[in-house]
Amino acid sequence: MMAAAGIRILYIDDDPALARLAQRTLGRAGYVVEIATDGGSGLARIDQGGIDAVVLDHAMPGQDGLVTLEEIRRRPDPPPVIYATGNQDSRVAVAALKIGAADYVIKSAEGEFFALLQAAIDGALEAARLRRENEIHLAEIRAARDRFEALAEERAMLMREISHRVSNSLQLIASLLRLQANASGAPDIKDALAEAENRVMAVAQAHRRLYTSDSVSAIELDRYLQELAESLRGSTEGQGTRSVLALRTEPVEIHPDRAIALGVIVTELVLNALKYAYPATGGPVRVVQRALPDARIEITVEDDGVGIGPAPAGSTGLGQRIIKAMATKLEATLLHDPSHAGTRVVLTFAA
């Protein structure tokens, strides 16, 4: 049994003789026992504070123990209540336990009653102590979780701010490249600068996705490709191309670094198709992204044009080297479909 020294018990009972006997018996065990003769005075004493546990009689004039128990349970941080009843009907004890009594004992003037009562008091106090400790631990866990969530939100905010600034800086670089291209009178320089601008914008679009997304650890690939396609359409307007870029995607998320590498590959493949697939007339250029059953992603860029031929005059092969480097970064499989009438490139990589 737990140490009883200093523990204050309120004994609520309209039987003064039994109450005094309980006071003496429990007092010898080290408890400090106060007596209340009815529910109302007992509630008033509980409201004053300092009561560690309550022994509550069932049959009392005015209001019985069940009504008093309900009132005690409505108090903030109520003390545990041991329900004492002389009624052998188990329904009374069950009703008390349902209301919130910690335990119950069958009342009598014999020594067995006080031994059982002391055991019930000790058990109720121990249960209350464990409950308080559990509440403290839960509060500490909640506080730690709240601190972690606050730090995670702060980190996400900082990452979005960084992505926002990087995106703005890259768009500024792209604008400078466009201005330089417009100022140049050499067509090959214009083309080189325009290609560089599109490569920069492929990276800028990925960072834009990050700071406008709910997540800073993943990019919605379908939405990123849609924005990239819009950027490529805009970059080729006014260049005389009559090709139409079509895009079909499925919802999937990937890591930002992988999205950037993929965006650079798609940019190179689409620009090659727009520039070289249809030398005399325009035609369709299709980009299809789909999720495979084995947790991989497949990207297809195809056209119905003249197919793969000799490198154009003056070509440096830089675009192909970039595609191969980015495919290596993705650990991707890059295949040209020889059965397709035009050009079809299939890129497959792990999500």
Side-chain angles (χ1 to χ4, degrees), residues 276-298:
Y276 304 120
Y278 307 99
T281 61
V285 176
R286 295 177 291 272
V287 178
V288 178
Q289 170 261 315
R290 65 191 186 101
L292 300 178
D294 57 357
R296 292 185 302 156
I297 298 173
E298 181 185 87

Side-chain angles (χ1 to χ4, degrees), residues 1-9 22-34 52 118 121-122 125:
M1 293 186 179
M2 65 182 298
I7 294 176
R8 189 169 295 273
I9 306 297
Q23 189 177 43
R24 290 194 300 271
T25 304
L26 294 176
R28 287 194 294 270
Y31 295 101
V32 177
V33 181
E34 297 185 23
D52 297 303
Q118 184 176 346
I121 291 171
D122 289 344
L125 290 170

Side-chain angles (χ1 to χ4, degrees), residues 82-339:
I82 294 85
Y83 204 72
T85 174
N87 192 330
Q88 298 291 331
D89 190 344
S90 62
R91 288 177 294 181
V92 173
V94 170
L97 293 173
K98 285 184 177 180
I99 294 172
D103 203 346
Y104 76 95
V105 290
I106 302 300
K107 189 170 65 171
S108 70
E110 300 174 1
E112 182 182 358
F113 165 65
F114 294 110
L116 293 174
L117 181 59
Q118 184 176 346
I121 291 171
D122 289 344
L125 290 170
E126 179 65 12
R129 183 187 67 80
L130 293 174
R131 184 174 60 253
R132 286 193 297 270
E133 288 183 356
N134 185 57
E135 289 171 353
I136 291 171
H137 293 156
L138 289 175
E140 291 173 348
I141 291 171
R142 285 193 293 268
R145 182 196 60 201
D146 292 344
R147 288 194 300 272
F148 174 79
E149 290 177 351
L151 288 172
E153 181 59 31
E154 182 180 356
R155 179 181 177 277
M157 188 181 304
L158 289 172
M159 292 296 294
R160 290 191 184 94
E161 179 63 23
I162 291 171
S163 293
H164 192 184
R165 294 184 182 186
V166 170
S167 178
N168 287 345
S169 297
L170 290 171
Q171 290 184 52
L172 175 60
I173 293 171
S175 299
L176 293 174
L177 290 170
R178 188 181 311 116
L179 289 173
Q180 188 68 48
N182 293 337
S184 175
D188 56 340
I189 294 178
K190 281 181 176 289
D191 289 345
L193 290 172
E195 290 175 358
E197 177 192 346
N198 283 309
R199 290 163 185 153
V200 170
M201 286 304 299
V203 181
Q205 289 288 356
H207 284 282
R208 182 178 182 277
R209 274 278 91 224
L210 282 175
Y211 76 76
T212 58
S213 172
D214 292 334
S215 173
V216 294
S217 60
I219 283 181
E220 295 170 312
L221 181 57
D222 52 324
R223 298 186 65 178
Y224 170 52
L225 290 176
Q226 291 165 12
E227 293 173 356
L228 187 61
E230 287 300 319
S231 176
L232 292 172
R233 290 189 190 101
S235 69
T236 55
E237 288 180 358
Q239 296 182 8
T241 179
R242 287 173 289 173
S243 297
V244 178
L245 176 58
L247 177 71
R248 188 169 76 246
T249 62
E250 296 177 359
V252 66
E253 290 187 346
I254 63 173
H255 191 274
D257 289 344
R258 299 176 72 76
I260 289 172
L262 179 61
V264 172
I265 292 174
V266 171
T267 296
E268 295 296 329
L269 293 174
V270 168
L271 289 177
N272 282 343
L274 292 174
K275 288 172 62 177
Y276 304 120
Y278 307 99
T281 61
V285 176
R286 295 177 291 272
V287 178
V288 178
Q289 170 261 315
R290 65 191 186 101
L292 300 178
D294 57 357
R296 292 185 302 156
I297 298 173
E298 181 185 87
I299 304 282
T300 302
V301 180
E302 63 180 24
D303 61 67
D304 301 327
V306 297
I308 299 176
S315 173
T316 63
L318 176 61
Q320 290 301 316
R321 292 201 300 274
I322 290 175
I323 290 172
K324 290 179 180 178
M326 293 297 103
T328 300
K329 179 180 175 66
L330 283 171
E331 298 180 339
T333 301
L334 188 67
L335 297 175
H336 291 265
D337 184 358
S339 66

